Amino acid sequence: MSKTKESIFDYQLFKRLFEYIKPYKGVFMGLIVLVVLLAIFSSATPYITKDAIDDSITNKDTKNFLFYMVLMLGVLVLQTVFQLLFIYYAAWLGQNLVMDVRVKLFDHLLKFKMKYYDNSSVGVLITRAVTDMERIADIFGQGLFMIVRDLLTMAVVFAVMVYINVKLSLIVFAMLPILLYATRVFQKYMKKAFEEVRTEVSNLNSFVQERLTGMKILQLFTRETVEYEKFKTINERHKKGWLKTVWYNSIFFPIADLASSVTIGLVAWYGGLNVVFDGTNVSQGDLVAFIMFVPMLFRPLRQIADKFNTLQMGMVAATRVFKVLDTTSQIDDHGLIEADGFKGEIKFNNVYFNYVEDEDVLKGISFNVNVGETVAIVGATGAGKSTIINLLNRFYEIKGGTISIDGVDIKEVTLASLRTQIAVVLQDVFLFADTIMSNITLNHPEISEEQVYQAAKDIGIHDFIMSLPNGYHYNVKERGAMLSSGQRQLISFLRAYVTNPSILVLDEATSSVDSYSEQLIQNATDKITKGRTSIVIAHRLATVKKADNIIVMDAGEIVEQGTHNELLSKENGYYKNLYEVQFLQEEAV
């Protein structure tokens, strides 16, 4: 186990969190002042009560007694105001700090390589960005400042008790070591328990998120019972994790209450005897003040342990969030060239790539795409066709070789400007739970609604969109659930076309759409590829026939290249066999 996990309080973690407090330094200093004032005012009421009893009640002086009551009322009013300001601004600081951390985390996630998401659970990342963030906010809103306030309160109460009566103070302090030891043991075990709880919360979130997303598959294959049992198992682990924290609480807090009650009893016994039989060592006011002071000394210690639970949860959450922030999984973006438009000449030169170490997906492939050409890439599943799209957009880093556009290595071009010039229509279309207009423009400020209307008319899908309720402002719901697969594909074509890209990459997906949508998609394909460098992962015969060049891939290598007619003329050629097995069947249908 690391030193960080063994320690109860991680100072380095807090030092890092305090970096985010700098913009709110004024509020932070104000909270420190409020903490000091609350600690001082907390001891004022028992002390005023002591003086009121000794100076007024014992001597039956009603005039001074009224003064003490007015003074106590003033102290209580000020204490209430300070408490209100303290609670509000502690929470305010926590929420503002978390807002900044969450924004930084999301910005960090936006720049990760696709490989990071290939190996990460979406549910866990959601937990980091949402649930864990709230726990970090609690560090300041309900944890740290509360603990500091309670510690200062104890210190002030301690000093005032010694000032009033040393002997009674010794009785009280004799019980403190027992409670302090119990508190330390409690904190140690609670930290371990909360680490377990956070792990199980992440597992639970991940499981639920994946099952809700894939609910159709579960129901199609009647896996409801199996998944229900899995969920019960995960939920049981989650419950056990929380019950550990409940068990530790149920042991510690009764011990703390018992220690406080025993101490009050000892103070009352010793002080009462002195008041009755002596009256010199302990006054009536001393006795009453100490009976009030004991809960004020022991309750903060009990509250510190309680708030420490919150602090521990926040620290565990912060550790997990910072682990993501410390992950370096970004594509190197050191290019100096700002691409404001490509001619469209693409060259892959001896490119090697793998998703998993020592398992090459591309094995030294080389090919050229001339300006304005449409190149189709065909091959069996797993041949490496989609990988080419990913590499052209630099979603992944290549292992060897070079990829260039217009003679410039794409690594020398800034990432944003590179991707701005390349539009991709993927086979698996993703639409956000928003309007069609927002899904087309992705809220790009330079794309007007008029441009979208014209682009839709150009590729022949304006009438289809207008036939939907509210037209371009129709909300397609999560993942475009309100549209058919063909309709979603049409929206993705328009999304690519409206950006006016220099290079177009299409992963055609017309095999599972109706004939009407297929015809619209084919017309859209012809329109947006005209006069523009295009790479098409071909699934349909029509696109392959029209391509200027066809690249045939198998197991990460290019096995053939040429036009449709050239490749068909090769006796026992790979493409010819593929054509006869797959494409002739489609043509016959």
Side-chain angles (χ1 to χ4, degrees):
M1 186 177 287
S2 67
K3 184 178 178 181
T4 300
K5 289 189 175 182
E6 287 177 350
S7 62
I8 291 175
F9 194 86
D10 191 337
Y11 293 98
Q12 291 301 318
L13 182 64
F14 266 92
K15 183 179 178 181
R16 187 167 182 181
L17 279 172
F18 272 102
E19 290 294 317
Y20 292 91
I21 290 180
K22 287 182 179 179
Y24 313 105
K25 190 182 295 183
V27 174
F28 179 78
M29 297 307 296
L31 285 168
I32 296 298
V33 173
L34 286 172
V35 165
V36 174
L37 289 173
L38 284 170
I40 295 172
F41 274 79
S42 64
S43 300
T45 302
Y47 194 84
I48 293 171
T49 303
K50 168 195 171 303
D51 285 350
I53 294 173
D54 290 341
D55 295 346
S56 300
I57 295 177
T58 304
N59 299 325
K60 299 180 180 180
D61 185 349
T62 56
K63 185 178 179 180
N64 282 341
F65 183 73
L66 180 61
F67 166 75
Y68 284 121
M69 292 304 99
V70 172
L71 181 61
M72 187 179 295
L73 178 62
V75 168
L76 290 173
V77 170
L78 286 174
Q79 191 174 0
T80 301
V81 172
F82 292 153
Q83 185 79 355
L84 184 150
L85 292 172
F86 170 74
I87 292 173
Y88 175 78
Y89 280 104
W92 182 92
L93 180 64
Q95 289 299 324
N96 276 276
L97 180 145
V98 161
M99 179 185 71
D100 294 342
V101 177
R102 185 184 280 124
V103 168
K104 184 174 181 180
L105 177 67
F106 188 72
D107 181 61
H108 198 61
L109 291 172
L110 287 173
K111 297 172 183 176
F112 276 163
K113 300 176 184 177
M114 288 300 107
K115 187 176 181 179
Y116 179 86
Y117 294 105
D118 293 341
N119 300 322
S120 300
S121 165
V122 174
V124 169
L125 293 177
I126 290 172
T127 300
R128 299 292 172 268
V130 182
T131 310
D132 284 342
M133 288 296 178
E134 292 306 316
R135 300 290 78 79
I136 295 175
D138 291 341
I139 290 178
F140 297 93
Q142 301 178 30
L144 181 64
F145 286 116
M146 299 292 186
I147 291 174
V148 173
R149 181 198 64 183
D150 289 341
L151 287 173
L152 281 176
T153 298
M154 290 175 64
V156 172
V157 168
F158 178 89
V160 175
M161 288 173 71
V162 172
Y163 174 76
I164 292 173
N165 193 299
V166 174
K167 290 184 178 180
L168 286 179
S169 298
L170 290 175
I171 294 174
V172 176
F173 301 153
M175 294 295 295
L176 281 178
I178 299 173
L179 195 55
L180 286 170
Y181 177 75
T183 302
R184 182 167 179 82
V185 173
F186 172 72
Q187 291 168 348
K188 181 179 179 181
Y189 281 96
M190 284 300 288
K191 186 177 193 304
K192 292 180 180 178
F194 279 127
E195 286 177 348
E196 183 178 336
V197 167
R198 297 312 308 154
T199 299
E200 295 306 330
V201 167
S202 294
N203 291 338
L204 193 62
N205 285 347
S206 180
F207 184 89
V208 172
Q209 189 270 335
E210 288 180 352
R211 269 58 186 182
L212 290 178
T213 303
M215 187 59 69
K216 183 182 288 186
I217 299 298
L218 298 184
Q219 293 182 355
L220 281 171
F221 290 90
T222 64
R223 306 302 294 170
E224 296 94 333
T225 303
V226 174
E227 296 303 320
Y228 171 72
E229 293 300 327
K230 286 183 180 179
F231 180 78
K232 283 175 63 177
T233 301
I234 295 174
N235 206 28
E236 179 69 19
R237 293 202 304 266
H238 179 258
K239 181 197 74 174
K240 287 180 178 178
W242 271 111
L243 285 179
K244 279 187 181 180
T245 68
V246 174
W247 172 244
Y248 297 145
N249 282 324
S250 65
I251 293 174
F252 173 75
F253 291 122
I255 291 175
D257 290 339
L258 178 63
S260 178
S261 299
V262 169
T263 305
I264 291 175
L266 291 172
V267 167
W269 172 73
Y270 177 79
L273 288 177
N274 271 270
V275 170
V276 173
F277 296 107
D278 187 355
T280 57
N281 293 326
V282 180
S283 68
Q284 294 180 32
D286 292 347
L287 181 59
V288 173
F290 265 77
I291 291 175
M292 295 176 69
F293 273 133
V294 169
M296 294 179 65
L297 188 65
F298 281 65
R299 190 185 305 116
L301 192 58
R302 181 185 187 279
Q303 289 174 345
I304 286 172
D306 194 18
K307 297 304 179 185
F308 200 88
N309 296 348
T310 302
L311 192 63
Q312 293 286 27
M313 290 186 70
M315 289 172 66
V316 171
T319 300
R320 295 175 185 273
V321 169
F322 284 134
K323 184 177 180 181
V324 178
L325 283 171
D326 291 337
T327 300
T328 53
S329 185
Q330 289 82 8
I331 292 288
D332 292 332
D333 189 13
H334 302 308
L336 300 177
I337 300 174
E338 286 284 343
D340 57 0
F342 289 131
K343 293 180 180 178
E345 182 185 8
I346 302 169
K347 184 175 182 180
F348 275 60
N349 182 28
N350 199 31
V351 173
Y352 285 84
F353 173 76
N354 58 44
Y355 293 103
V356 180
E357 193 70 28
D358 298 326
E359 294 182 19
D360 287 343
V361 176
L362 297 183
K363 304 170 184 178
I365 68 167
S366 299
F367 66 88
N368 294 339
V369 181
N370 297 322
V371 177
E373 276 189 346
T374 295
V375 172
I377 303 176
V378 301
T381 301
K385 304 185 299 296
S386 295
T387 299
I388 290 175
I389 296 176
N390 290 330
L391 297 183
L392 186 62
N393 281 276
R394 293 198 68 203
F395 285 135
Y396 299 87
E397 296 282 18
I398 61 177
K399 177 182 174 183
T402 58
I403 302 173
S404 61
I405 299 177
D406 295 347
V408 178
D409 192 323
I410 59 174
K411 290 184 178 181
E412 297 177 13
V413 180
T414 62
L415 203 57
S417 66
L418 172 70
R419 291 175 179 172
T420 299
Q421 297 301 317
I422 303 173
V424 181
V425 179
L426 295 172
Q427 181 175 357
D428 183 17
V429 179
F430 187 94
L431 298 181
F432 295 94
D434 207 334
T435 63
I436 288 178
M437 180 62 71
S438 294
N439 271 288
I440 293 169
T441 65
L442 295 177
N443 300 311
H444 196 298
E446 296 181 5
I447 301 177
S448 66
E449 291 194 7
E450 289 71 23
Q451 287 176 287
V452 174
Y453 298 150
Q454 187 58 52
K457 291 174 182 176
D458 288 345
I459 64 175
I461 66 173
H462 176 73
D463 292 340
F464 142 65
I465 296 175
M466 292 304 296
S467 68
L468 298 171
N470 298 321
Y472 287 86
H473 298 285
Y474 177 60
N475 194 310
V476 299
K477 305 300 180 184
E478 187 175 359
R479 291 180 173 267
M482 303 303 292
L483 301 177
S484 69
S485 58
Q487 290 171 330
R488 290 196 295 271
Q489 194 71 36
L490 289 169
I491 298 301
S492 71
F493 269 80
L494 182 54
R495 179 162 62 192
Y497 182 64
V498 78
T499 62
N500 191 29
S502 301
I503 296 171
L504 188 67
V505 181
L506 302 179
D507 189 352
E508 276 195 295
T510 57
S511 58
S512 59
V513 301
D514 58 87
S515 57
Y516 174 72
S517 295
E518 182 178 350
Q519 186 58 50
L520 287 176
I521 290 172
Q522 190 58 57
N523 293 338
T525 301
D526 293 342
K527 177 67 179 179
I528 66 178
T529 57
K530 187 176 181 180
R532 181 181 281 117
T533 301
S534 304
I535 297 177
V536 180
I537 294 182
H539 300 280
R540 309 297 283 179
L541 176 61
T543 306
V544 175
K545 281 184 173 181
K546 295 178 181 178
D548 299 301
N549 187 34
I550 300 171
I551 296 173
V552 186
M553 297 190 66
D554 182 43
E557 297 180 303
I558 296 176
V559 292
E560 292 177 348
Q561 284 193 66
T563 64
H564 175 69
N565 291 330
E566 288 172 349
L567 293 174
L568 282 182
S569 65
K570 293 185 178 182
E571 195 67 31
N572 294 321
Y574 189 99
Y575 178 81
K576 184 177 182 180
N577 292 332
L578 183 67
Y579 175 81
E580 291 174 350
V581 172
Q582 179 183 352
F583 292 154
L584 277 180
Q585 291 179 358
E586 291 182 7
E587 198 171 44
V589 172

